[in-house]
Each structure stands twice: as structure tokens, then as C-alpha cells.
Amino acid sequence: MDDSKKPEVHKGLVGVYVDDSKVSKIVQETNSLTYRGYAVQDLAANCKFEEVAFLMWNGELPTKQELADFEKKERSLRKIDDSLVDVLKKLRPDAHPMDVLRTAISFIGAQDPKWSDESKGANLDKSINMMAKLPTIVAAWSRIREGKEPIPPRDDLSYSENFFNMTAGKVPEPAIISAFDKTMILYAEHSFNVSTFTARTITSSLSDIYSAVTGAIGSLKGRLHGGANEAVLDVINEIGEPEKAKAWLDDALAKKKTIMGFGHRVYKNGDSRVPTLKGAFNEVSKLRGGEKIGQIMDILEEGMLEKKNIKPNVDFPTAGLYHLMGIEKDLYTPLFVMARITGWTAHVMEQLEGNKLIRPLCTYSGEPQRPVVPMDQRGTKATPAIKPAAPKAP
Ligand code: COA
């Protein structure tokens, strides 16, 4: 085919609409984000995370009674099986917590005799079950890897309070819980991002919801997606002092480095979630002495705007927030999973309601068609070998 006849390739699916959704809407022009029609900043200001989870799955905010029933159910499902705790104890203590979560969800799926029931009711139950158990798994792992026993979940605490209690053994000040809850709400859903699209793609072959979530966790782990929040803290730590921030940024940009926590495929003029998170950061900063980190972040933000006209995304303030809350860096992306489980599973159910196998096309630029030469006629020219990886320094 001559090049003029080649179909146009949309690398990275940039600008391609692949389906319709009722779960959330990003309006690029106004940098706004709505879940089921509600602006995220409104939800963050007025709701707790459990209300937003209910909204995600049911399309409406709960009444008082519906919320009470929902919370009762979620709280009753928090405990994890001893068999899962045993699996966690068998993993390497330095395994990445995202790999641990991926393994845990896969394990829960393999243990569920109803894994293949794809009715809406069954998938709703599985979704609440995964939501309820994820904080228990994250917290259990944070302790098991340090040789400590997990702290069991409590059913008298909210989703966010219970998470802190299971990791640190105590519930922090209400302002910390409120800020954490806001991060959960703002991480809950974001349309056809790569992990959600992964979940929908897996679902489109009529695979089960656990497989979709397991794949989504693998996708979220990447540095260009959820893993960016961890990478942001690396930058803050590398800079160390506010006086060094400007020079660090100038040098990084001169070397054409990607600055983690900045830029977005969809938002080109600022991420709608950032203002709420900055407000939360300021509140937590007052309690936990975050002045220095705040200054470093401000300098990076001003510099990126001035030099590249690129604004921060959700992962930028969140990394600072989680750090001030005393959460270990490699748990930041797992926290994202604790929230995004609601959006992923809402999309899985929506995909099933109007499923069409996701199967795009690609152009081809490999070898032209050629005959297979029998082994005894292939001569002696060896195929270039792939070099084995160099051994890692201990
Ligand atoms: N730091 C420096 N430059 C950046 C940048 C960043 N964080 N994000 C985008 N740019 C620049 C690119 O270098 C490119 O410049 P060029 O046109 O001169 O080559 C331009 O902006 C367009 O970027 P591109 O990577 O093509 O946009 P994209 O839509 O493919 O990428 C991201 C979006 C999110 C992958 C990208 O902004 C990024 O890598 N950000 C850092 C990782 C991150 O924070 N991810 C979390 C997203 S919520």
C-alpha cells in the first residue's frame, strides 16, 4: 500500500471517542469534572466518600436510610480471610504494594464461586466487597512487610477513619480525615483514563469483574498514570530545600525531563481537582508543618507555568498531602485504587449493559510476506541475540 493510502493512525487514541458513558464527564473548555452530573468540588465539599461510592454505582446520591444501609453492608465486608493474609505473608517484603493489591484481587476472584455471575446485582455485591476489603489489604500489607500483625478492621469507623486505624493504630484529627476523604472522592473516577479503559477492554471480551480490576490495577501502577503521585514525592525529596527548587526545575527542563505531577492528556488548562486538593493541603499543612514542602511545590508550579505553560494535575497536591499525613510513599497509588475501585466497577457494569468487543485496528510496518525457509536451508547466519539483563548490584 502506498503511504498516501495508509489509514490515519491515532497513536495513543488521542482525540478518539470510543463509547458513550453516563458515569462522569470532563469538560475540557471549563476544566470541570462531574460524577453523574454533580461537580466534584461540590461532592468533595458536601459528601463523604461512602456517599460518592453509592452515587457511582446507583446513579443518585443516597438518602439517609440508603447511606446507613450501604455503610452497614460495606463495614460488614471489611475483614479479609486468613487464607488471603497467608498469601500476603508469603510475598517478598519489598514487593511493590500495587503488585500486592493486584495479587490480592486476583486471589479474591479465584476464591469466589460466583465469579462468572455477571448480573448487575452480583457485580454490585462484588464491587462493594472489593471496596470494603481494599483498605484492609493495603493496611495489612503495610504492617506485614514490617513483620507486624495486621490490625483488624472496625465497623464503627468510616472508610477513611478505619484505614488510618488499621495502619497506624489510631484515628487522626478530623481535619486529616476530611482531607483524606476528599482525596478519595477526587480519585474515585475520571472517565476513560487508561486504567478504566483497561477495565472496560477486559470486560468487553466478557471476562469477569475481578479480571477487569486486576488489569486496571496493573495499568494504574504506571508512572504516567497513578504511579505519578509517588514520583512527585521523589521530586520533592530530591529538591529538599525551597531555595534549590528553581535551579532544579531549570536543570530538569533543560534536560527535557518530564516533571511528574504536571500535564494531562485531557485538561490543557488545569485539572479540575487541584483547587480542592490545594485547599486540603493548606489545612493539613497547618497541622503537620508542611510549610517547606508547600514552598517547593509553589515554586515548581510557578516555574512550570512560566516556562512550559503546563499546570499541575491531581497527583501533585495529593503527593504532598499524603506525605504530610505520614503515609508511606509506595502506598500512594494503592490509596488511588481504594478510591478508583468505585469508578472502575461502575464502568465495568456500564460496559456490560451495552457491550461491544473492543478491538481496534493497526497498520503494519513489519516484514513483507515471505516464505518459510526449511531449517536445513536456513544457512548459518544467527538471529541477533537479545542480551541477558546485567546482574543487579546487591
Ligand atoms: N513535564 C514536562 N513537559 C511536559 C509534561 C511534564 N509533566 N507534560 C507534558 N509536557 C510537554 C511534552 O514534553 C510535550 O512537549 P513537546 O510538544 O515540546 O514535545 C507537550 O507537553 C505535550 O505532552 P504530551 O506528553 O504529548 O502529552 P500527553 O497528552 O501525551 O501526556 C501526560 C499527558 C499526563 C502523560 C504527560 O503530561 C506526563 O507525562 N505527565 C507527567 C506524569 C503525570 O503526572 N501523570 C499523571 C496524569 S494525571
Side-chain angles (χ1 to χ4, degrees):
M1 193 188 282
D2 81 65
D3 271 2
S4 64
K5 291 197 185 122
K6 268 199 166 182
E8 193 185 344
V9 171
H10 298 275
K11 217 170 160 62
L13 294 178
V14 176
V16 176
Y17 289 81
V18 295
D19 211 334
D20 182 71
S21 177
K22 292 185 170 58
V23 184
S24 69
K25 183 179 180 196
I26 302 173
V27 189
Q28 276 170 283
E29 298 72 31
T30 53
N31 299 318
S32 66
L33 170 65
T34 56
Y35 299 163
R36 305 276 187 196
Y38 295 104
V40 286
Q41 59 275 22
D42 262 6
L43 291 169
N46 295 297
C47 300
K48 59 198 282 200
F49 177 59
E50 289 88 331
E51 290 172 75
V52 174
F54 184 99
L55 170 72
M56 211 63 81
W57 290 323
N58 297 284
E60 296 295 339
L61 284 167
T63 61
K64 215 171 179 181
Q65 188 55 50
E66 284 170 335
L67 179 63
D69 294 345
F70 178 77
E71 287 189 320
K72 193 169 170 210
K73 183 162 182 173
E74 186 271 311
R75 290 173 187 208
S76 74
L77 294 166
R78 287 175 178 174
K79 196 175 170 318
I80 55 172
D81 230 58
D82 287 347
S83 58
L84 177 52
V85 176
D86 286 346
V87 169
L88 300 185
K89 285 182 175 168
K90 286 197 176 92
L91 298 172
R92 281 181 10 241
D94 62 345
H96 194 284
M98 287 296 278
D99 295 343
V100 174
L101 284 194
R102 204 187 51 218
T103 303
I105 291 296
S106 191
F107 180 84
I108 290 173
Q111 295 288 80
D112 183 353
K114 292 191 181 154
W115 66 269
S116 65
D117 184 347
E118 63 187 40
S119 63
K120 180 100 187 262
N123 273 343
L124 255 177
D125 282 348
K126 290 171 196 172
S127 304
I128 299 174
N129 187 41
M130 284 188 275
M131 171 194 169
K133 288 186 169 51
L134 276 165
T136 316
I137 299 163
V138 177
W141 177 248
S142 77
R143 297 181 61 86
I144 287 171
R145 68 179 174 181
E146 288 174 0
K148 298 178 189 156
E149 275 306 306
I151 298 174
R154 275 176 42 187
D155 62 10
D156 59 330
L157 298 176
S158 74
Y159 195 70
S160 298
E161 288 168 342
N162 179 51
F163 172 72
F164 278 97
N165 192 59
M166 289 188 298
T167 44
K170 59 176 194 269
V171 178
E173 306 91 305
I176 303 285
I177 293 296
S178 161
F180 186 83
D181 223 52
K182 285 182 174 45
T183 68
M184 291 288 107
I185 291 172
L186 296 170
Y187 264 153
E189 159 60 10
H190 211 220
S191 172
F192 272 43
N193 56 83
V194 57
S195 58
T196 302
F197 188 57
T198 302
R200 288 190 76 128
T201 304
I202 292 173
T203 304
S204 82
S205 74
L206 297 184
S207 187
D208 64 292
I209 197 165
Y210 297 111
S211 300
V213 171
T214 304
I217 292 173
S219 164
L220 187 72
K221 182 185 172 193
R223 278 197 314 284
L224 295 188
H225 191 13
N229 57 15
E230 294 179 31
V232 169
L233 192 72
D234 288 335
V235 167
I236 293 173
N237 284 339
E238 195 184 321
I239 294 172
E241 299 298 328
E243 306 77 60
K244 296 183 182 159
K246 191 176 175 309
W248 183 94
L249 182 65
D250 289 347
D251 181 57
L253 291 179
K255 290 179 178 150
K256 304 249 174 275
K257 282 191 185 163
T258 299
I259 314 301
M260 289 298 162
F262 285 88
H264 201 273
R265 171 61 64 78
V266 183
Y267 299 116
K268 293 301 173 201
N269 194 26
D271 184 322
S272 55
R273 299 161 292 183
V274 166
T276 303
L277 290 168
K278 271 192 184 171
F281 178 89
N282 291 338
E283 290 305 309
V284 172
S285 181
K286 281 184 220 154
L287 290 171
R288 297 284 161 96
E291 223 170 77
K292 197 160 91 175
I293 295 182
Q295 283 169 8
I296 293 175
M297 290 168 78
D298 286 347
I299 295 167
L300 290 179
E301 190 176 336
E302 282 159 24
M304 280 298 278
L305 195 61
E306 187 192 318
K307 300 261 163 55
K308 302 280 295 182
N309 196 25
I310 297 178
K311 294 188 174 171
N313 60 50
V314 65
D315 291 313
F316 190 65
T318 311
L321 255 174
Y322 287 159
H323 175 69
L324 292 184
M325 289 174 183
I327 297 167
E328 291 162 285
K329 186 189 76 173
D330 64 357
L331 299 183
Y332 297 179
T333 321
L335 298 186
F336 198 151
V337 177
M338 278 164 43
R340 187 57 62 88
I341 184 68
T342 57
W344 286 334
T345 48
H347 277 277
V348 166
M349 289 182 259
E350 187 176 74
Q351 179 71 31
L352 282 173
E353 277 164 16
N355 188 48
K356 178 87 177 163
L357 179 74
I358 297 172
R359 203 309 185 185
L361 300 171
C362 70
T363 53
Y364 177 73
S365 56
E367 294 288 341
Q369 188 166 343
R370 49 190 171 158
V372 175
V373 178
M375 179 66 85
D376 59 357
Q377 293 168 32
R378 276 182 219 164
T380 52
K381 197 178 131 248
T383 310
I386 297 172
K387 281 191 193 145
K392 260 192 173 174

